[in-house]
């Protein structure tokens, strides 16, 4: 009707989508992710054959899967990175609902694959780990709530998002998966911190964490053993940490050579939690430093671009996502060099794992989408330098 | 904070007069306020973002540096570190008084397995049995196929065995260096040395700890790294030990004894030059302790140190010495020896009737129980006990083998008159041969106390005086006459002027009372009699000389000839010049031309 009266709407004259995307996206971060993925494949070639052998599979079974999932992850990243921040927010909100539902239903429909923790939905050909997917969408949703709370007449978003974080943490602890639970809490804390939380509050949070750790040490034998192993001056050479430390020392600067390493035969988690030990042993600490550098580039570039971002939601969401990404890498490598107590945590984009890869791709896609260069706020504010 | 009013009255009024909508002013102000607030938040988040960036830079930097530091540090062999620091190998050598090696170490290897690395556990077990026939093939195969990661197979193997195991070619069979204790002289001085065993074992070394004898008594010294492997020098003379053991063994066989012991002691310093107990064992391969029967029948039992026996008439020398030293009697004084001597319901008899009276000298020479008992009555219980105590016969000896303290003398708690009498001739008191040797050394060396020791002593001052020089001299000549005309006639060794006192004690039966046909024969001797250098105690357990028409068991017929044979052999080794009797002047004059 309207068209019949007024004629068709004039087509907005804009750049084609792909060139605009290419021009505005953070290509450094994208390249770093691509390199991480390539390193992940190389390391999978080194680290996964022992696992394949144990499971009576083709030697490079896990490499193939890693390539497929990695490709899917890159695709997911590209698609997500083309969205506008609003679209990201909308899809994340929808996704958060789905992921939360999946998480809640996990105890009923999930499977534990005989590992003692119910974390997966099994679909035969593949399995899905909802906790991996809930991390990025939770961050975006919470960032929206927190930023909305600053609007005049906005909802009490900080309280609401904290309640959500606690609920999710509870469900994750039920699985149990304390690693992901602590990541959820951590990312919420980072966003709250960036949103201007009073320092006193931050300090009391730190104190509470120490207190909680103290109680866990006294009441959980599992936890106490981890801490004792970390505190001991001499690492027991027959533990995972001992093998990892030894592997790094064996590797030296340039490594013992491709396929020559031995740690992958001793460590059950060589392809996931201790992938960095395999890298250090076979390719030397220089490769590890390159990987570390790639993570640093992603985190720091993203933070730098977020500093120029004037939208509070974008800032918070981007910071939450990228710090979760960075901290995960930090914990993984910190454990291998015994800066942190033993805690299973995958190295994003490098460790083997379908859900982890694809969820990582989505998270990085969101980061890329949020850090695309775009016009910022009112010109007057830009002129004043904020 | 001073807040700017949203509706400043002055502007409202002027707007009204100008006909404008004053709400616009309020909206503009409200918008400005929100923008300012927004900016404040953005400014704050910006600072926090910079902080985040800083934290990440520091964290990544620390991890990177730590990773690099770890990578450039030397890799440490994980197994070596756990054990090498704790176990100190290299035990000090043990030497005899002339520096000959009694105990040393050799480098061997231990054999262990990593069953998980074995390619063919069953075949390995079969091939191992070919090298070590003592291995049970089924058990070994089961162990090698088991779930363990680590198995000890052999504590120490020879180089030939090592090569043979090496030739099996199994990657799961591994060797660790082992320092092994070696006693190159085999059984010789086995009781003194004792032996060792492996203590804490690591892959790269094992503790060697003393099991018995000197090895255990000096365990901490031998292992102490502070002494830097400084050898332990004993007072033992290896050649003398060898000659003594050989003669003692022959004597034991000849006299059909079930055990024997001998102690050869320097009469002045108390250094034990030789000490033997038969049966003995090889410290390289210590037998297991007996699980049943009498421990004193075990080869591990050191009769000379651990065995306490009623040594019989050999004790008479102490009684006579004390009586003379107290001035109660002279060698020529007459003593009542009319038997039997009744004391309450007890009755003391002699071997045969020696008449109504005897001189003190004769009492010793003929070994009269009654005469000695009379002497002890003159001395009295208190003084006797005190004298024996001063001689060290009532405490354990300080001899430096770990078994020393177990040879605790036994004597009646209530030292009654009848005890005094029986103890005067060596019954009712049990001591070890080492005790007896020290006691004899003290009364014949001029009367000064000696303490038995197994360590080579520097020239030491004389001990405390026990009896006078003169008493000692009289005693020596009396005991020389025991050999020349008394109970020990078979003990005379030409040129060495042996003196001593026999003792034949009926062995106590475990059922109470004494055996009639089982004795412990002792000869306590010293030589040369004029200037004693060495004391030799020989005991034979249940000897029986069956060459005559009737079995003879007295010490004079058993222990004495064995002691004589020992002296004949060891005296030249000890460097004692034989006394050559002056050649008779037969009327020939040497022609001087």
């Amino acid at each position: 009707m309207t068209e019949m009266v007024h004629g068709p709407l004039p087509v907005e004259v804009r750049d084609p989508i792909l060139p605009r995307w290419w021009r505005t996206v953070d290509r450094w971060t994208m390249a770093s992710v691509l390199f991480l993925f390539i390193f992940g494949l190389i390391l999978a070639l080194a680290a996964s054959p022992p696992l394949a052998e144990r499971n009576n599979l083709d030697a490079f079974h896990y490499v193939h899967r890693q390539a497929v999932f990695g490709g899917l992850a890159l695709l997911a990243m590209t698609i997500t990175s083309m969205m506008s921040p609003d679209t990201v927010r909308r899809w994340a909100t929808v996704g958060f609902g789905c992921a939360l539902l999946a998480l809640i239903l996990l105890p009923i429909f999930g499977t534990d694959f005989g590992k003692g923790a119910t974390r997966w939905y099994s679909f035969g050909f593949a399995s899905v780990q909802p906790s991996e997917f809930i991390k990025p969408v939770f961050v975006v949703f919470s960032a929206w709530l927190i930023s909305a709370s600053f609007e005049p007449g906005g909802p009490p978003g900080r309280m609401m998002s904290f309640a959500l974080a606690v609920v999710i943490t509870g469900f994750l602890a039920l699985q149990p998966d304390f690693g992901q639970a602590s990541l959820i809490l951590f990312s919420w804390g980072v966003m709250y911190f960036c949103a201007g939380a009073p320092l006193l509050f931050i300090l009391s949070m730190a104190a509470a964490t120490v207190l909680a750790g103290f109680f866990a040490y006294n009441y959980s034998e599992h936890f106490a053993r981890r801490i004792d192993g970390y505190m001991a001056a001499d690492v027991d050479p027959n533990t995972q940490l001992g093998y990892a430390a030894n592997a790094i020392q064996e590797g030296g600067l340039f490594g013992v050579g491709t396929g020559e390493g031995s740690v992958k035969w001793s460590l059950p988690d060589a392809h996931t939690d201790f992938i960095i030990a395999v890298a250090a042993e076979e390719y030397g600490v220089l490769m590890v430093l390159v990987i570390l550098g790639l993570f640093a580039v992603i985190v720091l570039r993203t933070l730098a671009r977020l500093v120029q971002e004037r939208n509070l939601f974008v800032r918070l969401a981007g910071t939450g996502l990228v710090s979760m990404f960075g901290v995960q890498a930090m914990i993984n490598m910190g454990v291998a060099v015994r800066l942190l107590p033993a805690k299973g945590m995958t190295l994003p984009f490098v460790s083997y794992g379908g859900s982890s890869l694809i969820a990582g791709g989505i998270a990085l896609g969101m980061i890329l989408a949020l850090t695309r260069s775009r016009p910022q706020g009112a010109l007057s504010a830009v002129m004043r330098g904020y | 904070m001073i807040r700017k009013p949203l509706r400043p009255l002055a502007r409202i009024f002027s707007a009204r007069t100008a006909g404008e909508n004053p709400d616009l002013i309020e909206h503009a102000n409200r918008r400005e306020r929100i923008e300012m607030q927004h900016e404040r938040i953005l400014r704050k988040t910006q600072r926090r973002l910079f902080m985040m960036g800083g934290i990440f830079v520091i964290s990544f930097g620390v991890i990177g540096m730590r990773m690099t530091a770890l990578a450039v540090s030397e890799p440490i062999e994980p197994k070596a570190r756990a054990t090498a620091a704790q176990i100190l190998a290299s035990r000090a050598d043990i030497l005899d008084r002339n520096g000959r090696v009694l105990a040393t170490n050799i480098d061997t290897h231990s054999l262990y397995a990593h069953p998980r690395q074995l390619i063919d556990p069953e075949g390995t077990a079969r091939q191992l049995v070919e090298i070590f026939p003592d291995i049970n093939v089924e058990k070994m195969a089961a162990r090698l196929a088991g779930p363990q990661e680590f198995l000890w197979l052999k504590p120490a193997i020879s180089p030939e065995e090592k090569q043979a195991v090496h030739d099996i070619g199994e990657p799961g069979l591994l060797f660790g260096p082992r320092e092994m204790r070696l006693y190159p002289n085999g059984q010789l001085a086995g009781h003194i040395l004792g032996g060792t065993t492996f203590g804490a074992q690591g892959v790269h070394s094992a503790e060697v700890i003393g099991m018995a004898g000197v090895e255990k008594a000096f365990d901490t010294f031998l292992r102490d790294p502070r002494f830097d492997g400084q050898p332990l020098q004993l007072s033992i003379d290896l050649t003398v030990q060898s000659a003594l053991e050989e003669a003692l063994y022959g004597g034991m066989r000849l006299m059909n004894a079930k055990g024997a012991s001998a102690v050869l002691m320097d009469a002045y310093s108390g250094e034990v030059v030789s000490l033997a107990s038969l049966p003995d064992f090889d410290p390289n391969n210590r037998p297991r302790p007996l699980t049943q029967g009498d421990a004193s029948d075990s080869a591990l039992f050191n009769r000379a140190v651990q065995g306490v026996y009623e040594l019989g008439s050999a004790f008479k020398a102490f009684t006579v010495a004390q009586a003379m030293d107290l001035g109660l009697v002279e060698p020529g004084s007459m003593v009542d020896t009319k038997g039997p001597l009744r004391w309450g319901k007890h009755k003391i008899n002699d071997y045969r009737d020696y008449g109504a009276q005897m001189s003190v000298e004769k009492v010793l020479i003929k070994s009269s129980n009654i005469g000695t008992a009379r002497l002890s009555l003159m001395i009295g219980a208190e003084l006797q006990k005190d004298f024996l105590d001063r001689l060290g016969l009532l405490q354990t000896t300080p001899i430096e083998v770990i078994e020393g303290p177990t040879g605790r003398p036994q004597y009646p708690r209530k030292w009654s008159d009848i005890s005094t009498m029986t103890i005067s001739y060596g019954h009712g008191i049990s001591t070890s041969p080492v005790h007896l040797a020290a006691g004899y050394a003290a009364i014949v060396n001029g009367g000064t106390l000696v303490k038995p020791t197994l360590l080579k002593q520097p020239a030491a001052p004389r001990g405390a005086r026990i009896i006078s020089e003169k008493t000692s001299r009289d005693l020596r000549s009396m005991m020389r006459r025991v050999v020349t005309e008394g109970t020990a006639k078979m003990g005379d060794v030409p040129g060495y002027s042996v003196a001593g006192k026999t003792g034949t004690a009926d062995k106590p039966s475990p059922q109470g009372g004494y055996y009639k046909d089982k004795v412990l024969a002792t000869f306590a001797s010293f030589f040369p009699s004029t200037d004693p250098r060495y004391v030799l105690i020989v005991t034979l357990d249940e000897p029986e000389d069956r060459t005559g028409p009737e079995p003879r068991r007295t010490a004079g017929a058993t222990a004495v000839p064995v002691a004589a044979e020992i002296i004949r052999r060891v005296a030249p080794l000890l460097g004692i010049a034989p006394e050559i009797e002056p050649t008779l002047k037969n009327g020939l004059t040497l022609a001087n031309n």
Side-chain angles (χ1 to χ4, degrees):
Chain A
M1 225 32 194
T2 317
E3 266 183 29
M4 286 168 73
V5 176
H6 301 285
L9 280 169
V11 176
E12 231 182 305
V13 184
R14 289 169 72 177
D15 293 343
I17 292 175
L18 275 179
R20 188 154 48 89
W21 171 76
W22 181 250
R23 204 178 59 241
T24 54
V25 82
D26 184 7
R27 292 182 294 276
W28 280 92
T29 301
M30 223 164 53
S32 299
V33 172
L34 209 60
F35 275 116
L36 278 182
F37 171 63
I38 291 167
F39 280 131
L41 272 186
I42 294 172
L43 292 176
L45 282 168
S48 70
L51 179 76
E53 193 176 288
R54 274 201 291 277
N55 293 350
N56 292 322
L57 294 166
D58 170 43
F60 294 117
H61 174 81
Y62 291 102
V63 184
H64 295 148
R65 284 177 75 94
Q66 171 113 350
V68 169
F69 285 125
L72 286 175
L74 290 180
L75 191 69
M77 179 181 87
T78 315
I79 291 171
T80 318
S81 69
M82 288 179 179
M83 296 177 178
S84 72
D86 281 352
T87 324
V88 166
R89 194 189 67 212
R90 282 166 202 149
W91 279 113
T93 310
V94 172
F96 176 73
C98 299
L100 189 60
L101 194 68
L103 192 68
I104 291 167
L105 293 179
L106 202 54
I108 305 165
F109 300 109
T111 167
D112 63 353
F113 288 118
K115 293 180 190 173
T118 311
R119 295 178 187 172
W120 295 273
Y121 284 112
S122 177
F123 296 112
F125 62 95
S127 57
V128 173
Q129 189 180 353
S131 57
E132 287 285 358
F133 288 98
I134 205 167
K135 284 187 296 181
V137 289
F138 165 77
V139 169
V140 173
F141 186 63
S142 296
W144 183 34
L145 285 176
I146 293 174
S147 61
S149 72
F150 288 101
E151 298 295 328
R158 280 170 282 195
M159 277 310 295
M160 286 162 73
S161 61
F162 181 64
L164 273 179
V166 169
V167 168
I168 294 170
T169 306
F171 276 107
L172 288 173
L174 271 181
Q175 295 187 356
D177 190 347
F178 294 109
Q180 308 281 20
S182 54
L183 276 180
I184 291 282
L185 275 185
F186 170 80
S187 58
W188 182 85
V190 165
M191 285 186 286
Y192 188 49
F193 170 71
C194 283
L199 277 175
L200 191 69
F201 176 81
I202 300 289
L203 288 177
S204 53
M205 281 289 278
T209 309
V210 171
L211 205 67
F214 180 75
F215 273 104
Y217 184 80
N218 279 335
Y219 293 103
S220 160
E221 196 189 333
H222 171 79
F223 187 80
R225 206 165 45 237
R226 293 279 180 90
I227 297 296
D228 286 341
Y230 170 65
M231 292 293 192
D234 235 8
V235 56
D236 181 351
N238 289 324
T239 57
Q240 295 204 354
L241 286 179
Y243 281 121
N246 202 39
I248 295 169
Q249 290 178 324
E250 289 285 347
L253 282 182
F254 304 105
V256 296
T258 308
E260 299 293 316
S262 64
V263 70
K264 58 192 181 192
W265 297 99
S266 327
L267 284 179
D269 291 332
H271 60 303
T272 55
D273 296 351
F274 283 95
I275 190 84
I276 207 72
V278 176
E281 188 180 30
E282 301 208 352
Y283 300 99
V285 78
L286 290 182
M287 169 144 172
V288 173
L289 291 180
V290 168
I291 292 175
L292 197 63
L294 289 176
F295 279 108
V297 164
I298 292 170
V299 171
L300 295 177
R301 263 202 79 83
T302 303
L303 287 177
R305 285 176 81 104
L306 287 173
V307 167
Q308 287 158 18
E309 176 63 55
R310 289 188 45 80
N311 184 319
L312 188 60
F313 158 71
V314 171
R315 257 192 193 178
L316 292 182
T319 313
L321 286 169
V322 84
S323 54
M324 185 145 72
F325 174 80
V327 157
Q328 208 173 327
M330 237 161 63
I331 291 178
N332 179 290
M333 295 199 217
V335 167
V337 295
R338 243 163 68 80
L339 279 171
L340 297 169
K343 175 77 214 88
M345 185 90 47
T346 54
L347 192 56
F349 260 89
V350 180
S351 293
Y352 173 79
S355 296
S356 149
L357 269 172
I358 293 175
I362 291 173
L364 274 163
M366 288 174 170
I367 291 172
L368 288 172
L370 296 174
T371 56
R372 282 171 71 174
S373 42
R374 66 176 70 84
Q376 295 296 334
L379 191 60
S380 60
V382 176
M383 294 297 281
R384 281 205 297 274
Y386 300 116
Chain B
M1 192 171 101
I2 300 162
R3 295 184 67 164
K4 209 171 139 190
L6 287 177
R7 291 172 74 90
L9 266 182
R11 285 186 62 193
I12 298 277
F13 287 144
S14 57
R16 274 189 184 156
T17 46
E20 289 167 8
N21 186 355
D23 288 352
L24 287 177
I25 296 171
E26 187 191 342
H27 287 152
N29 281 338
R30 193 178 295 267
R31 180 186 164 76
E32 198 181 343
R33 185 182 284 182
I34 289 170
E35 260 175 24
M36 290 298 285
Q37 196 185 354
H38 193 66
E39 253 169 43
R40 220 170 33 245
I41 293 165
L42 281 181
R43 219 176 305 161
K44 200 167 193 176
T45 48
Q46 198 167 13
R47 278 202 304 273
R48 298 258 159 123
L49 278 181
F50 279 122
M51 282 163 77
M52 292 283 301
I55 291 170
F56 270 106
V57 165
I58 292 169
S59 309
F60 279 124
V62 167
I63 290 173
M65 281 192 295
R66 169 92 182 187
M67 192 76 91
T68 314
L70 202 58
V72 298
S73 68
E74 264 314 289
I76 304 161
E77 196 66 38
K79 294 263 164 54
R81 166 169 62 173
T83 52
Q86 294 153 11
I87 299 175
L88 285 160
S90 120
R91 196 177 170 85
D93 286 356
I94 301 177
L95 307 178
D96 87 337
R97 62 184 300 118
N98 298 316
R100 297 185 196 93
V101 173
L102 294 177
T104 186
N105 306 308
I106 53 167
D107 290 332
T108 59
H109 283 86
S110 63
L111 175 62
Y112 62 94
H114 282 170
R116 286 193 186 173
Q117 294 172 9
L118 286 172
I119 293 163
D120 173 16
E122 237 172 88
T124 308
R126 268 199 311 279
Q127 282 172 289
L128 279 176
V129 171
E130 280 170 30
I131 303 165
F132 307 104
D134 55 322
I135 290 178
N136 178 324
V137 65
E138 281 96 29
K139 273 188 195 165
M140 180 56 68
R143 283 178 74 200
L144 291 178
Q148 291 102 320
E149 282 188 50
F150 187 94
L151 274 182
W152 284 116
L153 299 183
K154 285 271 166 189
I157 60 174
S158 71
E160 291 80 10
E161 289 168 332
K162 187 191 168 204
Q163 187 57 48
V165 173
H166 209 90
D167 289 343
I168 296 177
E170 255 301 342
L173 291 178
L174 301 157
F175 307 101
R178 271 290 175 282
E179 208 167 55
M180 203 182 99
R181 198 64 162 166
L182 179 74
Y183 304 93
N185 310 303
Q187 304 217 338
L188 211 52
H191 274 292
I192 301 168
L193 296 169
T196 53
T197 185
F198 286 121
Q201 294 208 48
V203 170
H204 291 267
S205 59
E207 239 177 3
V208 177
I209 52 173
M211 276 279 273
V214 170
E215 288 275 26
K216 189 162 186 186
F218 289 98
D219 194 42
T220 41
F221 170 83
L222 291 168
R223 286 201 281 156
D224 199 330
R226 274 182 302 169
F227 297 110
D228 196 26
Q230 183 191 333
L232 179 70
Q233 191 159 32
L234 300 186
S235 59
I236 298 295
D237 185 320
L238 192 61
T239 51
V240 173
Q241 178 79 19
S242 171
L244 179 137
E245 280 192 25
E246 196 182 330
L248 187 68
Y249 182 72
M252 182 179 87
R253 297 290 301 275
L254 215 57
M255 299 299 168
N256 304 302
K258 72 167 190 178
S261 74
V263 180
L264 180 66
M265 183 186 281
D266 187 305
Y268 292 95
S269 65
E271 290 170 281
V272 175
V273 178
S274 175
L275 183 145
S277 168
L278 297 175
D280 63 354
F281 62 93
D282 185 348
N284 289 307
N285 188 15
R286 263 178 81 86
R288 291 177 184 284
L290 293 184
T291 48
Q292 51 187 6
D294 196 348
S296 64
D297 289 336
S298 161
L300 293 170
F301 187 75
N302 188 342
R303 291 161 185 274
V305 175
Q306 287 173 283
V308 292
Y309 310 101
E310 291 182 316
L311 292 169
S313 307
F315 259 64
K316 284 175 184 156
F318 299 127
T319 312
V320 172
Q322 191 185 12
M324 291 198 300
D325 195 55
L326 291 170
L328 300 171
V329 289
E330 295 281 309
S333 312
M334 296 309 276
V335 186
D336 186 8
T337 56
K338 195 168 157 308
L341 169 59
R342 290 178 191 281
W343 193 271
K345 56 180 189 284
H346 300 279
K347 202 165 71 174
I348 295 172
N349 267 317
D350 274 336
Y351 191 64
R352 57 175 83 92
D353 190 5
Y354 296 120
Q357 274 196 327
M358 274 170 111
S359 69
V360 171
E361 192 168 23
K362 278 284 180 193
V363 164
L364 194 65
I365 293 168
K366 293 292 177 193
S367 194
S368 163
N369 293 344
I370 299 169
T372 321
R374 294 260 180 232
L375 289 178
S376 69
L377 286 176
M378 293 161 72
I379 296 165
E382 212 135 298
L383 284 177
Q384 184 191 40
K385 188 178 181 185
D386 176 61
F387 182 68
L388 295 180
D389 194 25
R390 278 193 289 142
L391 279 171
L393 294 174
L394 303 185
Q395 304 118 27
T396 56
T397 57
I399 195 152
E400 299 92 343
V401 286
I402 201 70
E403 295 85 359
T406 60
R408 176 169 292 283
Q410 290 170 9
Y411 49 88
R413 202 170 301 153
K414 186 170 167 293
W415 203 286
S416 63
D417 281 343
I418 185 68
S419 302
T420 309
M421 284 190 277
T422 60
I423 285 168
S424 75
Y425 57 89
H427 284 264
I429 183 166
S430 300
T431 62
S432 71
V434 169
H435 278 104
L436 191 67
Y440 261 67
I443 58 171
V444 302
N445 71 4
T448 52
L449 185 67
V450 300
K451 283 194 166 26
T453 175
L454 271 169
L455 296 184
K456 190 179 182 181
Q457 302 291 324
R462 306 287 296 268
R465 181 151 294 281
I466 303 289
I467 57 172
S468 72
E469 195 87 45
K470 179 182 176 304
T471 312
S472 181
R473 199 163 51 237
D474 290 344
L475 205 61
R476 288 201 295 263
S477 69
M478 285 158 76
M479 288 210 272
R480 171 65 184 154
R481 287 183 65 193
V482 173
V483 172
T484 53
E485 56 197 79
T487 52
K489 287 200 195 77
M490 289 166 101
D492 201 14
V493 181
Y496 290 109
S497 178
V498 178
K501 179 73 193 82
T502 57
T504 311
D506 289 338
K507 285 186 72 173
S509 153
Q511 279 82 41
Y514 287 87
Y515 286 116
K516 283 277 161 252
D517 55 351
K518 288 184 181 173
V519 299
L520 187 84
T522 309
F523 184 44
S525 60
F526 55 94
F527 56 94
S529 65
T530 45
D531 175 23
R533 297 262 309 273
Y534 293 97
V535 172
L536 172 69
I537 310 292
V538 172
T539 65
L540 294 179
D541 195 359
E542 299 178 18
E544 208 170 55
D545 174 17
R546 298 178 191 138
T547 52
E550 249 179 82
R552 288 190 296 171
R553 304 190 182 92
T554 55
T558 54
V560 173
V562 174
E565 181 59 24
I566 290 172
I567 294 170
R568 204 180 340 268
R569 293 197 193 187
V570 304
L573 294 172
L574 292 166
I576 302 173
E579 293 167 19
I580 312 282
E581 285 177 40
T583 44
L584 288 172
K585 296 240 168 53
N586 53 5
L588 285 178
T589 42
L590 289 172
N592 276 330
N593 48 359

